[in-house]
């Protein structure tokens, strides 16, 4: 017979203490699983960021101890016209690469979801191949293609009576010349992400639109693009960040030339770090670039509504 002091336990219910102990064990296991990642992030991300911020306020090099100079490094960077020229060049490079890459990837993804499964698999493999190729190897390949005297591009143009063009030797063409391989490198992953987003759109929407007589463009405008809004926003942000931080292509193909026409922000910072005795300037420039990237990303999130249309 149950006394008044004994708690009544309903059938199929665990005691509250047992539930608490189970949750504690689960939580402890979860923390143990994420502990290696947290430690690695702390060692290779958090601590270098904190130490870099400290050094940005120092007059420091590899040959002497740090000397506190306050905001001098930041004012030197902000007053340097070459820094702002590199930032502006980075935005121009973003405009040359991100919109064309998104448009081409969208049409390619539309083609993949409209063909048979076997042919779609072949298309996805073919578009993903550039992603696994090193950017350095890509730079060498395209440098050979752009070669003035024996390059494939000028040889093809000569068949139509067009004179050779110094694609990576002329400031008017050099930035566009490195934008083409950047688009080629980014197309693979971008296309596959769009394919996954298109497959996720409910087919009932297209069936209803077809019954109303909608064509492909109307389905794309009123169904596909709105349903992919979050994915397109993600690709826009990541594409912007990747493009403005492009480093390998201008370094290998042009070295930042001719006449600094391909010196993008990361290459500008790298050149200062390599040639300038004061390392604090380069660190301050890197932190300011981080502020620029974060501000632009925040503005995009602010002005582009990213709420899902369908849960």
């Amino acid at each position: 017979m149950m006394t008044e002091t004994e708690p009544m336990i309903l059938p199929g219910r665990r005691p509250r203490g047992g539930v608490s102990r189970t949750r504690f064990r689960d939580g402890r296991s979860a923390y143990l699983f994420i502990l290696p990642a947290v430690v690695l992030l702390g060692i290779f991300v958090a601590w270098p960021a904190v130490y870099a911020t400290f050094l940005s306020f120092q007059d420091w090099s590899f040959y002497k101890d740090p000397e506190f100079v306050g905001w001098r490094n930041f004012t030197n960077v902000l007053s340097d016209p070459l820094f702002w020229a590199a930032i502006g060049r980075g935005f121009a490079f973003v405009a040359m690469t991100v919109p064309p890459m998104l448009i081409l990837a969208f049409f390619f993804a539309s083609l993949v979801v409209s063909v048979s499964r076997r042919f779609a698999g072949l298309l996805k493999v073919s578009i993903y191949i550039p992603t696994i190729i090193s950017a350095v190897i890509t730079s060498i390949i395209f440098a050979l293609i752009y070669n003035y005297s024996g390059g494939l591009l000028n040889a093809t143009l000569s068949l139509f009576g067009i004179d050779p063009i110094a694609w990576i030797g002329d400031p008017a063409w050099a930035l566009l010349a490195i934008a083409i391989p950047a688009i080629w490198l980014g197309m693979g992953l971008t296309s596959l992400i769009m394919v996954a987003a298109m497959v996720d759109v409910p087919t009932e929407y297209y069936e209803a639109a077809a019954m109303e007589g909608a064509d492909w463009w109307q389905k794309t405008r009123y169904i596909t693009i709105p349903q992919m809004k979050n994915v397109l926003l993600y690709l826009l942000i990541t594409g912007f960040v990747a493009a403005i931080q492009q480093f390998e292509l201008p370094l290998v193909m042009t070295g930042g030339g001719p006449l600094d026409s391909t010196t993008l922000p990361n290459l500008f910072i790298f050149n200062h770090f390599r040639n300038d005795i004061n390392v604090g300037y380069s660190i301050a420039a890197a932190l300011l670039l981080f502020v620029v990237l974060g501000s632009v990303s925040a503005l995009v999130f602010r002005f582009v509504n990213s709420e899902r249309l369908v849960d």
Side-chain angles (χ1 to χ4, degrees):
M1 181 175 180
M2 184 172 58
T3 63
E4 294 181 358
T5 60
E6 295 176 346
M8 182 177 64
I9 301 176
L10 297 177
R13 298 286 296 275
R14 287 185 177 183
R16 182 170 297 178
V19 174
S20 300
R21 286 193 295 270
T22 302
R23 290 179 177 175
F24 174 76
R25 287 195 299 268
D26 292 343
R28 184 174 59 182
S29 300
Y31 286 126
L32 289 175
F33 277 117
I34 67 173
L35 180 61
V38 173
V39 171
L40 291 175
L41 286 174
I43 295 175
F44 296 105
V45 177
W47 169 243
V50 173
Y51 190 61
T53 304
F54 167 76
L55 290 179
S56 67
F57 294 96
Q58 311 290 323
D59 180 7
W60 173 76
S61 71
F62 296 103
Y63 310 103
K64 66 177 182 178
D65 295 330
E67 178 185 350
F68 182 76
V69 293
W71 296 93
R72 191 177 72 186
N73 289 326
F74 291 94
T75 56
N76 289 341
V77 174
L78 292 175
S79 60
D80 189 350
L82 297 178
F83 172 76
W84 292 110
I87 294 293
R89 209 173 291 117
F91 280 105
F93 188 75
V94 169
M96 291 179 181
T97 55
V98 177
M101 183 177 64
L102 293 179
I103 293 173
L104 292 174
F106 183 86
F107 284 112
F108 184 86
S110 300
L111 175 64
V112 169
V113 299
S114 64
V115 299
S116 63
R117 180 173 299 181
R118 179 177 299 180
F119 189 50
L122 178 62
L123 289 176
K124 287 187 285 188
V125 170
S126 64
I127 195 63
Y128 190 73
I129 288 176
T131 306
I132 63 177
I133 298 177
S134 168
V136 175
I137 300 301
T138 302
S139 302
I140 296 173
I141 293 173
F142 274 85
L144 294 175
I145 293 175
Y146 291 141
N147 188 271
Y148 181 81
S149 57
L152 178 62
L153 182 56
N154 281 334
T156 303
L157 293 177
S158 65
L159 299 177
F160 301 94
I162 301 176
D163 294 333
I165 299 174
W167 296 102
I168 56 178
D170 187 346
W173 294 101
L175 193 62
L176 178 62
I178 66 173
I180 302 301
I183 295 173
W184 186 68
L185 285 171
M187 272 282 293
L189 187 58
T190 303
S191 299
L192 293 185
I193 292 176
M194 286 193 178
V195 169
M198 289 182 182
V199 172
D200 192 48
V201 178
T203 57
E204 292 82 1
Y205 293 172
Y206 296 110
E207 293 172 356
M211 293 177 62
E212 297 294 331
D215 55 19
W216 178 87
W217 169 246
Q218 291 172 324
K219 294 178 183 177
T220 301
R221 179 181 178 184
Y222 296 107
I223 298 176
T224 306
I225 294 178
Q227 291 293 314
M228 293 176 58
K229 185 168 56 176
N230 281 344
V231 174
L232 294 175
L233 176 62
Y234 166 78
L235 293 175
L236 177 64
I237 295 295
T238 55
F240 164 78
V241 173
I244 203 171
Q245 293 189 104
Q246 179 58 245
F247 175 71
E248 294 94 341
L249 293 176
L251 175 65
V252 177
M253 294 180 66
T254 63
L259 301 177
D260 289 335
S261 60
T262 59
T263 302
L264 299 180
N266 270 1
L267 184 57
F268 172 82
I269 296 171
F270 173 75
N271 288 335
H272 262 281
F273 180 80
R274 182 177 56 181
N275 301 322
D276 196 352
I277 297 178
N278 180 18
V279 183
Y281 179 98
S282 303
I283 298 175
L287 292 176
L288 289 174
L289 177 61
F290 172 77
V291 172
V292 171
L293 294 177
S295 301
V296 173
S297 300
L299 288 174
V300 173
F301 277 113
R302 174 65 179 84
F303 290 107
V304 178
N305 184 13
S306 62
E307 295 179 0
R308 286 187 61 88
L309 296 179
V310 179
D311 294 330

